[in-house]
Amino acid sequence: MSILRFKVVEEAFKKKAIDVQAPAKCMSEFYGKYVFSYSVMKKYLSKDTINIIKDAVEKGCTLDRSVADHVAAGMKLWAMELGATHYTHWFQPLTDGTAQKHDSFIDYVDGPGENITEEFSGKLLAQQEPDASSFPSGGIRSTFEARGYTAWDPSSPAFVMDDTLCIPTIFISYTGESLDLKAPLLKALNAIDKAACDVCHYFDPHVKKVSSFLGWEQEYFLVDEGFYAIRPDLLLTGRTLLGHESAKNQQLEDHYFGSIPTRVTAYMKDLEFEAYKYGIPLKTRHNEVAPNQFELAPIYNETNLSIDQNLLIMLLMKKVARRHGFRVLLHEKPFAGINGSGKHCNWSIGTDTGVELLTPGKTPEENLRFITFLINTLMAVYKYNGLLKASISSASNVHRLGAHEAPPAIISAFLGTQINDILDNMEKSTTEKIIILDKKKKLRLGIAHIPEVMLDNTDRNRTSPFAFTGNRFEFRAVGSSANCSSAMTALNAAVAAQLTDFKASVDAKIEKGEAKEKAIMDVLKVYIKMSKPIRFEGNGYSQAWKEEAQKRGLDCETSVPDIFKAYTSEETVNMFVSTGVLSRKELEARNEVKWETYTKKIQIEARVLGDLTINHVIPTATRYQSLLLDNVCKIKSVYPAEKSEELSAMNASLVEDIAKHVKAVKSNVNAMIEARKVANKITDEYQKAVAYHDNVVPYFEVIRYHADKLELIVDDEMWSLPKYRELLFIR
Ligand code: ADP
Ligand code: MG
């Protein structure tokens, strides 16, 4: 086996960068080529139809059948010109990733016979019934109604991938329960639109729509595909379950500042061209901190669209990587001991009148509005910090949180000194001092002027899970492999609920005769005090912070199955119900899926770890041990007793070391299997996940410790698994 590892090293070393050429001289010639965007529609649909779609998207209503028929006909024509022969409803099941079932356009002309035609009607565009019984639903489908259907989301454009027309859809049960991640997201976006619009009307009665924006930053690792193929743990779990640290990893920080390796540059270029064809505006690419770790980021977009683009780019990343002899690792922690990967979600909200609500303004009125949205966001993060943590938690992201550069497993918000000073001043001053209305009822704000660009990079706190960065919040705790819908649904719904509460409090004061500005300021002052526990500017890794956070009453739970419970707390259920995003039943069913997924992931990892140690590590170590023993015996047969004792002492002790580690690996693997057997008998999904977390996971570290020790002892030539230095430095 060892021969294979060296063969792979040799081959990987020889690989050269692929020559990547731009599809055309001018980017505009191919940008959005595969997307049925409004500008493409112009060629295939009438102006009226396009306007009806635009209107439906804006108002969030459905299209009637005759319009859908028109759209379908145009879409089919366009897709077939690009070589499409099939279509699919592209949806986001509760497991991460996307799902699709391809159907061909073909159909009989007049019933069964010889003649076929290409068919794609409005009915097929608008609704589909995938055989979805194997998608997890947490019992919703068995409880309510056996069938679910996918329904077209016209706010995210259809696209052609390979030979298939892909139509972004939501996935719901016949009784209306969401079975996916997109349906609740759309409801949350609707909720924040309405709630934020109402609050905007304090400042500008002309605002008709508030949109939520998202700019994600996708981190990832690349490994040569040869190594990937002979690391069963990478292949099956997306992360290394074993492997001793490389002597050199990220200590010198030379990767982050270094130039991008040529094979990787070719990959990035190729990926960018591919992304542009799908209308994904990739803007940034660079090396990340860990060796072989990289990042890409597009220009931000409306949240629903941005999420679909992220899901699409994750597919493209994998696809393009194959062309370059790489495999892309989207797992949050593929390698122990070095940085993991996140998907920072830059979030902001803005109006149809062009106002960015989280950007400081030039006038006191604008700044009162800015402060209003900023403080309400803080309040939402404070009230629902447990939920926000649950929204980013998973069996894989847990390895990253609280380690190296990643934020800790406690949600707090970082504001930077300037904003903090402003809030502190507001808290200390009387409302009369802050709000001064002169004789002409002109508003004067007694708070310090807020410069537009407040924060430079030095003021950034990389350890904060939720940081204000001048015109947006950066939710950094989101994991690299996640569908950011979960996080964005929780955040937008929470802020929507908070803005609604705020409006009610302010309106009550106005009704009692208080001036609007004073009423707003009075409520904000209360919020500043209340939300104080969520504000934290210090080092999130420190033990001191963990103790402090506990005292402040923030959610400090670290066990993933228990973290999910925040989804069904009374406050969360009320919040989701009041915003119309998710019902109690849906929340409960979704948690069942989360626990089940958690259990399955740990179960798979445990099996792979067992196989790897029993089939690779122990046999290799034993073979090496035999060689050592052989050597000891030979020394003893050649040299006199005293001399041979001295000469064989080291190898004899290595033989014992190996025996010790092998025994530890074996007995712990056996114990882990026993723990799994016990856990598997539990029928309650929550209890089962807890059993896996409490009784199975702890073995991973012990087993790994001894296996990694064996890696250090055993002759390098005999070791069959690619080592960290090869996975991380050969490209
Ligand atoms: P960083 O310095 O945090 O690594 P990047 O340039 O990698 O920043 O990514 C920042 C992301 O934030 C980009 O996707 C960018 O388009 C996005 N962004 C910028 N302004 C906003 C905004 N107002 N709302 C949402 N996202 C934004
Ligand atoms: Mg970045």
Side-chain angles (χ1 to χ4, degrees), residues 598-617:
Y598 177 85
T599 298
K600 282 184 182 160
K601 289 213 167 146
I602 304 294
Q603 193 174 45
I604 294 168
E605 288 191 343
R607 285 180 183 157
V608 174
L609 184 59
D611 290 353
L612 269 183
T613 46
I614 303 298
N615 302 332
H616 288 247
V617 175

Side-chain angles (χ1 to χ4, degrees), residues 566-669:
Y567 266 109
T568 49
S569 73
E570 269 326 285
E571 306 88 74
T572 305
V573 173
N574 289 340
M575 183 279 282
F576 275 129
V577 170
S578 74
T579 46
V581 174
L582 286 162
S583 69
R584 183 187 294 272
K585 278 212 169 88
E586 286 171 313
L587 287 163
E588 283 168 356
R590 277 160 185 265
N591 262 6
E592 296 282 308
V593 176
K594 285 180 197 295
W595 288 317
E596 198 186 329
T597 310
Y598 177 85
T599 298
K600 282 184 182 160
K601 289 213 167 146
I602 304 294
Q603 193 174 45
I604 294 168
E605 288 191 343
R607 285 180 183 157
V608 174
L609 184 59
D611 290 353
L612 269 183
T613 46
I614 303 298
N615 302 332
H616 288 247
V617 175
I618 293 182
T620 312
T622 314
R623 231 178 302 137
Y624 182 57
Q625 192 187 35
S626 302
L627 277 185
L628 292 172
L629 259 183
D630 190 46
N631 173 270
V632 171
C633 289
K634 281 176 181 155
I635 288 176
K636 287 200 170 155
S637 67
V638 173
Y639 291 96
E642 213 169 293
K643 185 80 178 164
S644 78
E645 206 57 48
E646 184 201 329
L647 291 178
S648 65
M650 201 188 73
N651 281 353
S653 108
L654 274 180
V655 167
E656 283 176 34
D657 281 350
I658 291 175
K660 190 183 80 191
H661 291 304
V662 164
K663 186 171 169 232
V665 168
K666 194 138 195 177
S667 61
N668 279 293
V669 168

Side-chain angles (χ1 to χ4, degrees), residues 533-550:
I534 203 70
R535 281 159 60 193
F536 178 64
E537 306 284 303
N539 176 4
Y541 305 143
S542 65
Q543 187 54 35
W545 167 234
K546 283 181 198 147
E547 285 158 23
E548 166 77 20
Q550 193 99 42

